[in-house]
Amino acid sequence: MEGVKEGTLLWKPDEQRIKQSNLYQYINWLKKEKGLSFDDYHSLWEWSVRDLEAFWESQWEYFSISATQSYDAILTSRDMPGTKWFPGAAINYTEHIFRNRDINKPAIIHASEHRATQEMTWGQLYKDTAALQQTLKKLGVQRGDRIVAYMPNIYETVVAFLAAASLGAIWSSASPDFGTQSVIDRFKQIEPKVMITIDGYSYNGKNFDRMQVAANIQEALPTIEATITIPYLNEQADFSKLKKTIQWSEATTNSSGGDLTYEHVPFNDPLWVLYSSGTTGKPKPIVQSQGGILLEHLKAATFHMDLNENSRFFWFTTTGWMMWNFLVGGLLTGSTIILYDGSPSYPDNKWLWRFAEQTKMTAFGTSASFLTASMKDNLEPGKEFDLTYLSNISSTGSPLPPEAFEWCYSHVKNDLWIASVSGGTDVCSAFILGAPILPVYAGELQCMGLGAKVESFNDQGKPEIDTIGELVLTEPFPSMPVYFWNDSDGTRLYESYFDVFPGIWCHGDYLKITNRHTGIIYGRSDATINRGGVRIGTSEIYRAVDQVKEVADSLIVDIPNQGGDSATPLFVVMKDGTELTEEVVKRIKTQIRTQCSPRHVPTGIYQVSEIPKTLNGKKLEIPIKKILMGKSVEQVVNKGSLSNEKSLEYFIQFAKDRMQV
């Protein structure tokens, strides 16, 4: 495996697989209905980004989008930011989830560390969603109201989201492993009306009671009028500390037995609020539209995941990561989606492979670090488990190394479509992803997504091939944010994506586009801490560390390594000559584990005399990251801009001594 070179051809789809794919059917539809012929995927992609209007209108027609009012145009202009998609159209996301479904087929398969695997039919999902919609109506929930969920990745969370969206309400979720302040920093910004919460959760065989955390969160959210509670960890959980509680069992009892109704909203109305990682302050509340997400997820799930009514689609995720939202989008294709709440390595490191066999999974979505861990543990999933139904493994969160690609073919299944994908919370999708009609090359992402004008820019803002540059989008994309919450003049949105190359979306990833139109991602070009695909801002880490009284200052960076995971060293300056003892290290880790999340605990903590800063007091996060990745000081920082130039010496030596990236 160690000898596998980047770019080695590992798999090609056979003729039968190509002709059975949704992409092949779409290409034939374009020829028959539009008189358009394409010889290969790349020519289809080129058309999709050259003639944006025709491509996205073809998506509307191909998927028979249901609208009470038709659109006046496809998009108002190609200027970014500010593009409006399908103005005049009125749609509802949830309506498309339940169209033409066999009520007796499974819609959701779910399990957790303390719940046995269970199948929920389309009929049950519809019934529960309709009942919860009635409850939300009784609580006065209307279009535009915010509903927040402090919930794990379980069946009830999906029901709650679908009920919220059916009313035109705006959804937002956080995983219960997020600490109190992290959740408050997110939810407080959007002033929610209703909160949905559990009492606790299990992870890695341990129970975590979150009742007090939920109460503390609510204390900081004065706009909450009611709480829907799920006794998840303990059936006798006492929710009396929370505001106006309604038990889930009561909330999903439909006394009238009425059908779901759908509030048709403008195409660009908000569907949900996701959050940036909060590198330079509180997490940015990213608002994406009902229509933009509907079209993009239909496209991505159908053509790039190749999902259909016979698929069983899994992604290992929490509700605090955009992949949860994307996973729910799999329902749009009629696919069965599979949820799991818990540790991927409990009760042992074979669990998710066992779960794949048990659920007859067809598409297995996970992180690069999970696959490389399975490889390093010398697992043999193909020999130990019946993976007959498995046809695709998709990976994201960080680049999948070539050896892990090859391991999947050698130790999981030789006839397997491996898709490493890259996108982000910012669009709740992937720009660079898979296609079932294309070959798989080790370490490479198969293609640029349809309708996504992805390019790699050099520092002068010019596109280049076969050179590492900034991942940019040079044309609008439907699931881009319609705005940031509380950003009335659009300043925060502009500064987040458009101030590097005006009018161009700059995503913050390093990308090389190869001569064969595949992509290779080289990690984030910013200072976000990315662990297992879940990003968190450095400011959230600092907030936690600051609560340890002996620590005067700190800096953390995320250094990608070849194993698909990363090293996250934390450097601390101690107060008044105090030493960094084991006891202090333990308290720092505890603070980060509880205030942020367990997965963001640093891989090492080191004492330094001072943190490198600019003249105006900003920490040198990105330059230090680059130094630790092997760049010379002269390449990454202007020493004249520093207030303490000598502080760099420690990090230069640290890079030589310890970092093996």
Side-chain angles (χ1 to χ4, degrees):
M1 275 188 297
E2 291 181 7
V4 177
K5 287 186 178 179
E6 188 175 81
T8 301
L9 177 64
L10 295 176
W11 178 83
K12 288 179 76 173
D14 59 28
E15 197 69 18
Q16 181 184 7
R17 186 156 190 156
I18 291 171
K19 289 184 175 178
Q20 287 177 345
S21 72
N22 293 325
L23 251 179
Y24 186 83
Q25 292 171 31
Y26 173 60
I27 291 169
N28 284 342
W29 180 87
L30 285 172
K31 187 172 185 178
K32 180 182 176 184
E33 299 294 328
K34 304 294 179 183
L36 297 168
S37 294
F38 302 102
D39 295 330
D40 55 21
Y41 177 84
H42 188 65
S43 61
L44 172 66
W45 176 81
E46 284 187 315
W47 167 74
S48 78
V49 295
R50 183 179 63 248
D51 197 344
L52 278 186
E53 292 85 354
F55 170 70
W56 288 106
E57 186 168 40
S58 81
Q59 300 299 289
W60 184 288
E61 293 177 22
Y62 190 79
F63 293 116
S64 300
I65 299 302
S66 177
T68 53
Q69 291 172 231
S70 190
Y71 49 86
D72 303 323
I74 308 306
L75 68 169
T76 52
S77 78
R78 292 196 180 192
D79 295 336
M80 296 187 287
T83 305
K84 292 284 186 287
W85 292 85
F86 294 93
I91 56 101
N92 185 273
Y93 175 97
T94 303
E95 181 177 16
H96 293 80
I97 294 284
F98 289 111
R99 289 190 306 176
N100 308 316
R101 303 297 180 228
D102 180 344
I103 62 170
N104 297 311
K105 285 186 72 172
I108 297 177
I109 299 170
H110 66 108
S112 74
E113 288 192 10
H114 66 275
R115 272 185 179 176
T117 304
Q118 188 177 2
E119 293 188 359
M120 309 302 286
T121 65
W122 282 100
Q124 188 65 47
L125 178 62
Y126 180 89
K127 181 182 174 185
D128 289 340
T129 304
L132 188 60
Q133 184 197 62
Q134 292 297 319
T135 297
L136 293 175
K137 282 181 177 178
K138 289 173 186 173
L139 292 173
V141 172
Q142 299 176 357
R143 171 188 164 195
D145 287 338
R146 278 76 67 202
I147 296 177
V148 295
Y150 189 52
M151 291 282 289
N153 178 24
I154 58 178
Y155 169 73
E156 291 92 332
T157 316
V158 179
V159 172
F161 160 62
L162 295 177
S166 72
L167 293 170
I170 303 169
W171 174 263
S172 197
S173 60
S175 174
D177 64 342
F178 277 29
T180 308
Q181 195 59 48
S182 291
V183 179
I184 292 170
D185 285 349
R186 286 159 172 79
F187 290 170
K188 190 176 178 64
Q189 295 186 69
I190 64 170
E191 299 179 303
K193 188 172 193 171
V194 175
M195 179 173 171
I196 304 164
T197 185
I198 38 76
D199 58 319
Y201 68 99
S202 300
Y203 190 88
N204 211 28
K206 297 178 183 176
N207 292 338
F208 296 86
D209 188 309
R210 305 306 266 175
M211 289 297 300
Q212 189 57 51
V213 174
N216 293 343
I217 291 167
Q218 286 208 345
E219 281 181 24
L221 303 176
T223 56
I224 293 286
E225 295 178 9
T227 314
I228 297 172
T229 60
I230 293 106
Y232 179 55
L233 194 60
N234 176 8
E235 288 187 11
Q236 308 305 317
D238 178 8
F239 291 98
S240 60
K241 288 184 179 179
L242 305 183
K243 300 176 185 176
K244 193 183 175 183
T245 60
I246 306 167
Q247 282 268 20
W248 180 262
S249 55
E250 180 187 346
T252 51
T253 300
N254 193 341
S255 54
S256 64
D259 288 337
L260 259 176
T261 57
Y262 302 110
E263 178 75 22
H264 292 90
V265 298
F267 188 93
N268 296 287
D269 247 32
L271 175 64
W272 53 46
V273 181
L274 305 181
Y275 300 91
S276 72
S277 48
T279 301
T280 56
K282 288 181 180 177
K284 299 182 186 79
I286 299 167
V287 182
Q288 289 150 351
S289 69
Q290 285 237 7
I293 290 294
L294 173 64
L295 266 193
E296 169 54 25
H297 283 188
L298 273 168
K299 181 213 76 181
T302 302
F303 301 138
H304 294 291
M305 291 296 305
D306 204 34
L307 301 181
N308 58 41
E309 291 179 355
N310 298 314
S311 302
R312 294 191 167 197
F313 173 39
F314 170 75
W315 211 292
F316 183 77
T317 182
T318 73
T319 60
W321 188 22
M322 58 140 286
M323 289 313 302
W324 181 85
N325 305 69
F326 188 83
L327 174 61
V328 174
L331 292 169
L332 292 165
T333 67
S335 166
T336 301
I337 65 168
I338 302 172
L339 316 176
Y340 184 71
D341 173 46
S343 167
S345 53
Y346 179 82
D348 57 48
N349 58 5
K350 300 174 184 177
W351 163 245
L352 285 187
W353 299 109
R354 193 178 296 116
F355 190 53
E357 174 189 69
Q358 183 186 112
T359 57
K360 299 180 179 177
M361 205 179 281
T362 63
F364 186 146
T366 185
S367 63
S369 55
F370 172 80
L371 294 173
T372 52
S374 291
M375 177 180 72
K376 290 174 182 176
D377 290 343
N378 298 311
L379 300 190
E380 295 284 351
K383 291 180 181 176
E384 288 196 50
F385 305 105
D386 180 0
L387 302 176
T388 304
Y389 296 92
L390 188 65
S391 62
N392 164 261
I393 291 179
S394 288
S395 166
T396 194
S398 57
L400 187 66
E403 311 80 60
F405 272 83
E406 205 280 334
W407 176 83
C408 289
Y409 288 105
S410 300
H411 300 274
V412 180
K413 201 172 184 178
N414 57 16
D415 184 19
L416 199 58
W417 166 35
I418 306 291
S420 180
V421 308
S422 183
T425 300
D426 319 85
V427 293
C428 198
S429 191
F431 302 128
I432 312 171
L433 60 186
I437 65 174
L438 293 176
V440 173
Y441 298 94
E444 297 182 8
L445 288 68
Q446 285 181 291
C447 60
M448 309 303 122
L450 293 176
K453 185 70 182 293
V454 176
E455 298 186 75
S456 177
F457 268 20
N458 62 21
D459 291 342
Q460 288 71 48
K462 302 295 181 186
E464 293 191 348
I465 299 293
D466 239 19
T467 300
I468 299 172
E470 284 279 356
L471 192 168
V472 298
L473 264 76
T474 54
E475 295 286 358
F477 194 67
S479 62
M480 284 177 176
V482 285
Y483 52 83
F484 286 175
W485 201 266
N486 292 331
D487 182 31
S488 56
D489 63 357
T491 300
R492 293 181 80 195
L493 179 75
Y494 184 88
E495 291 175 347
S496 296
Y497 310 114
F498 300 105
D499 67 347
V500 178
F501 306 110
I504 303 292
W505 174 287
C506 188
H507 193 60
D509 277 338
Y510 291 127
L511 166 69
K512 180 168 75 177
I513 299 174
T514 72
N515 288 310
R516 55 171 165 257
H517 315 299
T518 59
I520 303 171
I521 295 287
Y522 292 89
R524 296 292 296 170
S525 57
D526 62 15
T528 301
I529 307 303
N530 184 339
R531 299 293 289 167
V534 177
R535 285 190 271 150
I536 194 168
T538 52
S539 63
E540 295 187 74
I541 301 286
Y542 301 146
R543 192 178 301 128
V545 176
D546 285 348
Q547 293 172 36
V548 178
K549 63 179 186 293
E550 292 88 350
V551 177
D553 205 356
S554 61
L555 180 141
I556 189 166
V557 290
D558 186 345
I559 314 297
N561 63 36
Q562 294 176 343
D565 207 337
S566 59
T568 51
L570 173 70
F571 303 96
V572 295
V573 177
M574 304 302 290
K575 283 183 180 175
D576 305 322
T578 316
E579 288 300 311
L580 181 65
T581 63
E582 285 186 14
E583 193 269 332
V584 173
V585 166
K586 185 178 179 182
R587 278 195 284 122
I588 291 171
K589 289 181 176 180
T590 299
Q591 281 294 334
I592 294 172
R593 183 179 289 111
T594 54
Q595 292 292 316
C596 302
S597 88
R599 68 182 74 207
H600 292 98
V601 172
T603 51
I605 301 177
Y606 308 93
Q607 184 173 352
V608 295
S609 58
E610 53 184 337
I611 300 296
K613 293 183 179 180
T614 63
L615 292 171
N616 60 3
K618 289 188 177 180
K619 298 177 186 182
L620 260 68
E621 292 173 321
I622 295 173
I624 294 301
K625 172 178 177 171
K626 290 180 178 178
I627 290 169
L628 298 187
M629 290 175 70
K631 297 266 189 183
S632 69
V633 173
E634 290 73 18
Q635 287 177 294
V636 300
V637 66
N638 172 13
K639 291 182 181 178
S641 68
L642 304 186
S643 63
N644 50 355
E645 180 185 327
K646 286 190 175 181
S647 63
L648 293 176
E649 294 173 3
Y650 173 90
F651 296 90
I652 296 166
Q653 192 60 45
F654 186 94
K656 291 177 182 176
D657 293 346
R658 292 192 173 137
M659 298 305 295
Q660 301 295 320
V661 180

